[in-house]
């Protein structure tokens, strides 16, 4: 290939720019002459001095222009250019006035001062030492990010994903990639193995390289964990690895052996078959099993003799509810399960009253912010998310670190965890590490709902092992004469058709013949029909869909609902990212745990961490400082840099999986078609049970019927049930 030409100049004007893929057209000032440069120009800023690599081409419409393959920052000591660059909004908090003060003070040395002597910025009136350091940090970070983006865009990786590489691997991302490009697909979720394989091929790394094979196997294991598995059978691991590596089984066996010797995989033999786990999942489940057994066998005071459970509530408890309260007063560990309307909340209230009367300190927790808020409202006692309860501390990487652990345990006599079905293996391990030997653990949940989004199947594994005592509620209490939501949820579990469209009912079905027709119906329901019928604003109506993609997936529905409910208006600040155009008042959702992001509340409480499934509303889009402000449902206020929007989506419609632990006034569920492994009974059940007062299914009754009779669950390979079934003498 010919060596690319290069142009060095100053970006005079950005004529066109696409945030999603980094494609842009700019007017480049080269010693007073202007050249149109088009192509890969990620994160370009007016006033920036760059060195662009590419070649001149003749555009059929715009004439001669320079086709840029990639560019690098190239700063000149020209005060006019430096001022234009600083005032472009490239550095957060530096606008026209501040840029002028800085350039007037340091002239041609401005960028050197910002990079190497930032404390001198505080010599300028209006710039404190703290602000000076913030300017330095933001400048250095943007330069680092720009270098990483420019490096990866040469390999066809979009700017938004390249920023994700930087956020995950840090400033050493380029060096790490040069040493072993396969580390990217292990650490960065949105870059697939085939993409990295092309980079490695360009670097000349052979197909049978041990690093390639080992990374391919680890990548396969991570993909398995994204599907909920904490371990994976050897034969399936080899088969899946062969599909992506296209290499002989013998070479893969050798790579697998190396990974075992290096401690990057752990082997477990179960019934003559070998399973493999990533170390952190193995340790999480083995610790969980040993800790649960230790708690179970520890001393436990029988409190049932010290209180009359008949006096705990004005509502007479049913026999199974009384038994649950009695066992909670006797046992160190207890699981309480039941569907909607079976009295789980009544029992939690009774337990709170009982333990309070006995002088015991109780903590109430749930896996998500919405679930914690919901149980707080129902019981009148403040509940915290497990992350907040364990006091998440600033951490670098994908695994959280908590202040509360075995060395600094929670100070409570009783811990009640609601929505236990949502708790994954890693989070439950962290919770158990923070309990003392004296703490009672009461776990409440609905085992018929979908499993947790994260890897593991903790609640079902504990139940199937028989190691933890369980009380299962069957009798239905919560149901008015006209309500069908609770009854229909149980009918679904019993393989019966729901009861639809009865007079004054709260459960309806509207037929649709096509995806386009269903989308139109859903938009009309949310915008007009249901707000008028239910006297509810549209933001109280949630659309739940089984899938992300397709005409009825969350992505397409979100774009359609946004256009209906909050269309982009001329002159209104907006930001395009992840296939969406965000604007003020949009409803949004975080789609992955981010343990580092800072937040605060209106009353000044500060912390870190926004989690998968957290929902909120955009309250501001600041184009000058390139950040978006979101008020989440649990009152957290977060300022997102534009560079960190990769885990944010519109949330007018969300997948049923993402809705777990939430409850909405009204729910609209489009159901026309879908993959059998997705369109299951427990997904339909979970969707229906998210509604407090109204459900409307849009689509085909035949699809609903198929889901009701499809009670097969996607197999999750886990170790917890096996570890619990073994004796406490097992080598944990």
């Amino acid at each position: 290939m010919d060596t690319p030409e290069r142009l060095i100049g100053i970006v005079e004007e950005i004529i066109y720019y696409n945030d999603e893929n980094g494609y842009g057209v700019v007017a480049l000032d080269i010693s007073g002459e202007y050249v149109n440069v088009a192509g890969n120009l990620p994160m370009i800023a007016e006033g920036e001095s760059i060195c662009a690599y590419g070649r001149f081409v003749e555009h059929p419409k715009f004439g001669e222009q320079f086709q840029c393959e990639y560019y690098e920052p190239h700063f000149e000591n020209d005060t006019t250019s430096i001022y234009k660059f600083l005032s472009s909004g490239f550095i957060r908090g530096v606008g026209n006035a501040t840029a002028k003060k800085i350039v007037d003070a340091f002239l041609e040395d401005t960028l050197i001062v910002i990079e190497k002597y930032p404390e001198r910025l505080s010599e300028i009136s209006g710039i404190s030492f703290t602000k000076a350091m913030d300017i330095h940090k933001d400048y250095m970070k943007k330069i680092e990010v720009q270098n990483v983006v420019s490096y990866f865009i040469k390999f066809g990786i979009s700017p938004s994903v390249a920023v994700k590489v930087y956020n995950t691997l840090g400033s050493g991302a380029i060096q790490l990639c040069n040493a072993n490009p396969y580390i990217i697909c292990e650490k960065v979720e949105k870059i697939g193995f085939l993409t990295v394989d092309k980079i490695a091929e360009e670097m000349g790394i052979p197909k049978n390289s041990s690093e390639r094979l080992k990374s391919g196997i680890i990548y396969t294991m991570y993909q398995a964990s994204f599907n909920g598995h904490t371990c994976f059978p050897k034969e399936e691991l080899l088969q899946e690895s062969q599909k992506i590596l296209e290499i002989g089984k013998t070479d893969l066996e050798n790579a697998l052996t190396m990974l075992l010797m290096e401690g990057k995989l752990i082997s477990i033999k179960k019934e003559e078959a070998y399973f493999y786990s990533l170390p952190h999942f193995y340790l999480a489940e083995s610790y969980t099993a040993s800790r649960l057994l230790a708690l179970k066998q520890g001393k436990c005071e029988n409190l049932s003799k010290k209180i009359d459970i008949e006096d705990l509530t004005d509502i007479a408890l049913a026999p199974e509810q009384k038994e649950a309260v009695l066992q909670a007063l006797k046992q160190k560990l207890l699981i309480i399960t039941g569907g909607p309307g079976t009295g789980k909340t009544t029992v939690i209230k009774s337990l709170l009253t009982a333990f309070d009367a006995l002088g015991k300190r109780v903590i109430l927790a749930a896996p998500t912010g919405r679930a914690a808020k919901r149980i707080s409202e129902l019981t009148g006692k403040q509940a915290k998310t497990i992350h907040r309860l364990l006091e998440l501390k600033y951490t670098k990487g994908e695994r959280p670190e908590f202040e509360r652990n075995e060395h600094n345990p929670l100070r409570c006599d009783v811990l009640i965890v609601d929505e236990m079905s949502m708790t994954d293996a890693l989070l439950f391990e962290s919770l158990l590490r923070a309990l003392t030997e004296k703490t009672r653990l009461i776990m409440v949940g609905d085992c018929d709902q979908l499993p947790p989004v994260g890897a593991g199947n903790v609640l079902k594994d504990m139940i199937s092992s028989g190691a933890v005592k369980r009380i299962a509620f069957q009798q239905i209490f919560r149901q008015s004469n006209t309500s069908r939501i609770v009854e229909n949820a149980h009918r679904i579990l019993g393989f019966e058709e729901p009861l639809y469209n009865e007079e004054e009912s709260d459960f309806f079905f509207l037929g649709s013949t096509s995806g386009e027709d269903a989308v139109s119906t859903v938009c009309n329901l949310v915008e007009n029909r249901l707000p008028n019928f239910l006297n509810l604003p549209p933001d109280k109506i949630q659309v739940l869909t089984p899938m992300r993609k397709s005409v009825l997936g969350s992505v397409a529905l979100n774009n359609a609902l946004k256009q209906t409910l909050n269309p982009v208006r001329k002159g209104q600040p907006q930001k395009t990212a992840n296939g969406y155009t965000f604007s003020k008042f949009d409803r949004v959702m975080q789609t992955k745990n981010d343990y580092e992001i800072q937040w605060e509340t209106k009353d000044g409480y500060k912390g870190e961490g926004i989690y998968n499934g957290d929902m909120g509303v955009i309250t501001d889009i600041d184009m000058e400082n390139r950040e978006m402000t979101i008020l989440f449902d649990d009152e957290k206020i977060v300022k997102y840099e534009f560079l960190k929007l990769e885990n944010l989506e519109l949330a007018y419609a969300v997948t049923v999986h993402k809705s777990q632990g939430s409850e909405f006034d009204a729910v609209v569920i489009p159901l026309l078609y879908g993959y059998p492994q997705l369109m299951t009974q427990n997904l339909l059940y979970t969707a229906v049970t998210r509604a407090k007062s109204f459900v409307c299914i849009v689509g085909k009754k035949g699809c609903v019927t198929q889901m009701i009779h499809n009670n097969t669950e996607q197999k999750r390979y886990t170790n917890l049930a096996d570890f619990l079934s073994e004796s406490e003498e097992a080598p944990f």
Side-chain angles (χ1 to χ4, degrees), residues 585-599:
F585 306 123
D586 274 336
R587 187 140 186 81
V588 293
M589 172 183 277
Q590 175 79 8
T591 60
K592 189 179 179 185
N593 293 345
D594 187 331
Y595 303 113
E596 299 174 22
I597 198 164
Q598 308 279 318
W599 55 262

Side-chain angles (χ1 to χ4, degrees), residues 680-693:
T680 61
Q681 183 190 77
N682 65 346
L683 185 138
L684 177 60
Y685 171 81
T686 301
V688 167
T689 55
R690 297 311 89 207
K692 283 196 287 188
S693 58

